[in-house]
Amino acid sequence: MNDFVYRNGVLCCEELRVSDIAKKVGTPFYLYSRNTLVNHYRVVDQAFSALEHIICFSVKSNSNVAILRLLANEGAGADVVSGGELFRALKGGIDPRKIVFAGLGKTEIEIEHALGEGILLFNVESSQELMLINRVAERMGVEAPVALRVNPDINPKTHPYVATGLKQSKFGIPLKAAMAEYEVAQKLPGLNPIGVHMHIGSQILESGPFENGVNKLVKLAKSLKVLGMDIRYVNIGGGFGIQYTDEEALTPDQYASALVPLLEDVGATIIVEVGRMITGNSGILVTTVLYDKHGEEKRFVVVDAAMNDLIRPSLYQAKHHIAPVNQREGVRDVKVDVVGPICESSDFLARDFTMQEVKQGDLLAVFTAGAYGFSMSSNYNSRTRVPEILVWGRKAFVIRRRETYEDLVRGEAIPDGI
Ligand code: LLP
């Protein structure tokens, strides 16, 4: 179910050759397959079909409005973490009644914005945030639907930067303290506690940590119901791992078959907040080889994409498969570092990576770049952000144009007299 395939040694995205698109738009660029995106959404949705559920797509993984529109058309909801993401989700056409708002630093303005739009619920991360939501809701004469994000203290066995459900983590309310917070919430006139939430981390490759967390969450939901709270939503978060290189990832069905039985008798709609599982393998980053550079100890393939375009290797030592867009016959494999032009030693897309020997001008594809790729990109080194292209069958659409130098200075000003 991947629409990035080699046909006679030529990488295609659906019905188009990647090299033809590169000729038109130049490199680097992100390239998404509409079919892969939509199929991934459908498979995840189908996996949880035994339960009343909503798939709230995690907007931070890929927030392009065209991607959001495609998912909205499929009936997806959204997990947002800022006023900006809420704006994007609504612009993409996602139904506000399927939008959940997480994040531990929501501002008063963001809370007011979300209440005004009538979102499904807030995933609340602290007692002070609960108080603020209550005040804003009272002022607006509404009741804010809330879930508490609990921290179940579970080791997700993933990169420490993307583990979020451990005791030491800044996220969530300790499970022990949750009951008392819910009781406070129940009494406050501006709050309506209707859900429970956890998100234990990202790129988790086993179902065990989820099972542990879900068991704790279900127990909490049941206890809250006994206290008379109308807990209608159990949000199990996102974080399902996917295959980047040689890791073994579970399928959505495998995760679901481990979790569905644990959720069957909780009597609530289940929310699943996946991002990467839907977008990760729906996109690649296409880049050109600028130089083949032989250092004293290492060989470097210098490409025109850099850490500002895809920061995952630099930030998390993440591994992405990289391969030539057009394969050549009889070429030997060499060990290289694939590096970008940025003035930082941490600017690499792969290290000690064995790939076909490439030449100046060759196109390379960095795979599994659809999640946390463009959405984490920046203008560091005053590099313009790259275009995003969406392929649907035989057609390619520019869903975000390449930035210009003028874009770089937009909003900046030189004060008079300096
Ligand atoms: N729900 C919440 C509350 C989250 O914080 C996240 C991700 C998700 C859902 C979706 O997680 P996913 O299914 O996409 O793994 N930049 C990192 C990942 C950071 C994830 C942050 N939170 C990366 O590139 O691996």
Side-chain angles (χ1 to χ4, degrees):
M1 208 186 53
N2 193 323
D3 297 274
F4 295 96
V5 282
Y6 284 92
R7 296 196 189 105
N8 299 321
V10 173
L11 182 63
C12 298
C13 176
E14 301 194 15
E15 303 305 319
L16 298 179
R17 289 194 193 104
V18 173
S19 52
D20 287 345
I21 301 171
K23 251 181 238 150
K24 286 215 175 100
V25 302
T27 61
F29 64 96
Y30 276 97
L31 181 64
Y32 307 117
S33 154
R34 181 261 175 198
N35 280 351
T36 306
L37 179 84
V38 167
N39 284 336
H40 282 180
Y41 173 80
R42 289 180 185 165
V43 170
V44 175
D45 190 38
Q46 188 58 35
F48 287 91
S49 60
L51 304 171
E52 194 70 46
H53 71 280
I54 309 175
I55 306 294
C56 288
F57 169 65
S58 196
V59 172
K60 65 176 84 64
S61 75
N62 189 317
S63 43
N64 185 291
V65 287
I67 299 288
L68 297 174
R69 173 61 55 89
L70 288 173
L71 294 173
N73 291 346
E74 294 295 310
D79 152 48
V80 303
V81 291
S82 68
E85 284 193 353
L86 175 58
F87 173 80
R88 283 180 174 279
L90 294 169
K91 215 170 175 60
I94 291 179
D95 181 351
R97 286 160 309 173
K98 290 186 184 173
I99 295 180
V100 296
F101 196 147
L104 77 171
K106 300 177 195 77
T107 65
E108 191 161 344
I109 291 170
E110 288 174 323
I111 294 166
E112 205 175 296
H113 177 193
L115 278 174
E117 295 292 351
I119 64 161
L120 178 61
L121 55 82
F122 291 92
N123 290 318
V124 179
E125 302 240 11
S126 66
S127 38
Q128 288 193 350
E129 183 194 332
L130 210 49
M131 296 306 145
L132 179 59
I133 296 177
N134 176 59
R135 279 204 302 281
V136 178
E138 272 204 285
R139 193 174 67 216
M140 292 172 72
V142 295
E143 241 185 22
V146 294
L148 295 196
R149 174 177 183 171
V150 295
N151 182 334
D153 189 24
I154 282 170
N155 183 357
K157 301 185 196 143
T158 184
H159 191 281
Y161 284 11
V162 294
T164 54
L166 283 165
K167 249 192 238 161
Q168 301 81 346
S169 159
K170 68 175 179 175
F171 297 103
I173 294 170
L175 197 51
K176 279 191 227 135
M179 278 304 252
E181 294 292 350
Y182 270 103
E183 286 181 275
V184 172
Q186 194 184 20
K187 292 192 194 103
L188 291 171
L191 299 179
N192 187 13
I194 59 165
V196 291
H197 175 229
M198 70 168 196
H199 172 73
I200 56 174
S202 238
Q203 184 57 10
I204 300 169
L205 289 160
E206 297 167 32
S207 66
F210 289 105
E211 291 167 42
N212 280 342
V214 164
N215 279 332
K216 292 184 181 184
L217 208 60
V218 167
K219 206 167 143 206
L220 174 67
K222 287 182 179 166
S223 320
L224 296 171
K225 284 188 180 195
V226 170
L227 291 180
M229 280 177 239
D230 183 16
I231 301 298
R232 281 171 271 152
Y233 296 96
V234 171
N235 183 342
I236 65 171
F240 299 144
I242 62 169
Q243 186 176 19
Y244 281 88
T245 53
D246 46 13
E247 57 276 81
E248 284 201 23
L250 300 179
T251 62
D253 274 341
Q254 287 172 315
Y255 282 112
S257 58
L259 300 177
V260 167
L262 312 178
L263 291 158
E264 253 159 7
D265 71 342
V266 69
T269 297
I270 307 307
I271 297 175
V272 186
E273 289 178 340
V274 283
R276 183 189 325 258
M277 186 167 252
I278 294 172
T279 45
N281 278 307
S282 312
I284 63 173
L285 173 64
V286 182
T287 181
T288 300
V289 175
L290 298 176
Y291 306 104
D292 178 17
K293 174 172 173 168
H294 294 248
E296 209 168 326
E297 282 189 7
K298 281 196 156 195
R299 186 158 169 185
F300 299 98
V301 173
V302 184
V303 295
D304 63 358
M307 66 189 284
N308 73 301
D309 302 308
L310 179 66
I311 202 172
R312 303 193 68 257
S314 312
L315 199 55
Y316 318 111
Q317 297 86 43
K319 294 199 169 52
H320 286 258
H321 184 64
I322 303 179
V325 163
N326 295 322
Q327 292 166 335
R328 271 197 221 99
E329 294 277 321
V331 178
R332 63 181 182 132
D333 279 348
V334 286
K335 197 193 256 190
V336 296
D337 280 13
V338 181
V339 301
I342 283 189
C343 302
E344 298 262 356
S345 294
S346 59
D347 178 25
F348 56 88
L349 298 177
R351 265 187 169 167
D352 298 321
F353 183 70
T354 304
M355 66 185 296
Q356 269 195 359
E357 192 165 34
V358 291
K359 291 203 188 106
Q360 236 181 338
D362 280 358
L363 290 172
L364 298 181
V366 183
F367 290 88
T368 322
Y372 308 105
F374 187 90
S375 67
M376 293 183 81
S377 68
S378 77
N379 291 116
Y380 186 42
N381 273 205
S382 284
R383 288 167 52 84
T384 53
R385 279 183 300 169
V386 306
E388 294 178 284
I389 313 294
L390 175 77
V391 170
W392 184 343
R394 296 182 174 284
K395 284 195 175 150
F397 304 90
V398 178
I399 58 171
R400 184 185 170 107
R401 64 163 173 79
R402 190 181 301 284
E403 287 180 343
T404 62
Y405 290 156
E406 281 305 321
D407 289 328
L408 288 180
V409 293
R410 178 150 304 135
E412 294 179 24
I414 302 173
D416 283 347
I418 67 162

